[in-house]
Amino acid sequence: MNAAIDPVSSNLLEVQEWLKVCSNRREGLCPVCNEQVSLRADKSENTRTHFSHGKGSDCPTIEKNHKPFEHLVASDTDNENGKYIKSVTINNSFLIYEKCKSMADNLSVKEFRELIDFATSKGVWNFKGLTFMYVPYILLTCRGRFIKKDSDYRKKDFYFVLDPNVKKVDELWNDTKSKKQKLWKINLDDNDITEYSINDSIVPEWFTYTKEHITNKLS
């Protein structure tokens, strides 16, 4: 793992920053599961310095613990809200694709269609209380693994996870204070993680700065 939360400052620090700021401490917190992780191989010349969970950890950042689709159930359904979510998703499908693509290393159109199909098979659109904001993030968890050979410019295999304390996905929007509003991408080659905040912007993160520039110039 390439980053950990400093329990003193509560900041998420990558390894190199940790070595500068927290050189006298070796234990941090996993940003996904909140378990303690320890700095490893910082004195090694052959192994990359990283954070590691202790034995017996259930964290989904460890591949054998990853249980895809387990969270894709809800406490209740709402067909009327489902009609609305489907309509908004149809009308914004290209922007949803672009947002997913920015997080999933050049997500292919074929893969995107498969995510939609799988979400439909799970009845995701009718989950009670579902808001449009969560759609791109839930879609990315609708695949057990993204394979590097399936898309140009993808360098690693990876998968996405939501807060592992979520047993039913509607806990995310019904309990926003205690459930982390995050999505994590777990790279399988090196166990590195990339963290994304769940937000209602449909603009891909890579375009955010450009949009701000245009807004400032034209306002």
Side-chain angles (χ1 to χ4, degrees), residues 202-218:
I202 202 65
V203 178
E205 291 195 8
W206 62 265
F207 194 72
T208 301
Y209 174 76
T210 300
K211 183 179 180 181
E212 291 175 354
H213 174 83
I214 293 171
T215 300
N216 291 334
K217 289 293 183 181
L218 300 185

Side-chain angles (χ1 to χ4, degrees), residues 27-148:
E27 278 73 42
L29 299 175
C30 172
V32 180
C33 70
N34 261 34
E35 290 179 359
Q36 181 174 291
V37 290
S38 300
L39 193 66
R40 305 290 188 194
D42 53 316
K43 306 298 183 183
S44 174
E45 295 183 359
N46 300 317
T47 303
R48 189 189 64 149
T49 305
H50 61 282
F51 292 99
S52 179
H53 287 81
K55 291 183 178 179
S57 172
D58 291 327
C59 184
T61 61
I62 301 169
E63 186 180 4
K64 67 182 179 64
N65 296 333
H66 179 45
K67 300 174 182 177
F69 324 130
E70 189 176 64
H71 66 286
L72 287 177
V73 293
S75 302
D76 204 352
T77 58
D78 183 341
N79 292 340
E80 284 303 310
N81 186 63
K83 291 178 183 177
Y84 169 74
I85 294 297
K86 289 176 186 177
S87 175
V88 178
T89 298
I90 290 169
N91 292 334
N92 293 277
S93 55
F94 177 70
L95 292 176
I96 296 171
Y97 165 65
E98 285 294 321
K99 184 164 184 173
C100 291
K101 180 180 177 181
S102 71
M103 292 184 278
D105 297 356
N106 206 36
L107 180 77
S108 71
V109 173
K110 178 178 181 293
E111 287 175 319
F112 183 63
R113 290 197 301 263
E114 290 170 351
L115 297 181
I116 295 288
D117 292 348
F118 191 85
T120 302
S121 73
K122 288 287 186 177
V124 165
W125 317 110
N126 293 331
F127 287 170
K128 187 175 182 178
L130 175 64
T131 63
F132 180 64
M133 177 174 76
Y134 291 92
V135 169
Y137 305 96
I138 292 175
L139 283 175
L140 288 174
T141 67
C142 285
R143 193 180 188 92
R145 178 186 291 196
F146 293 83
I147 308 298
K148 56 188 174 184

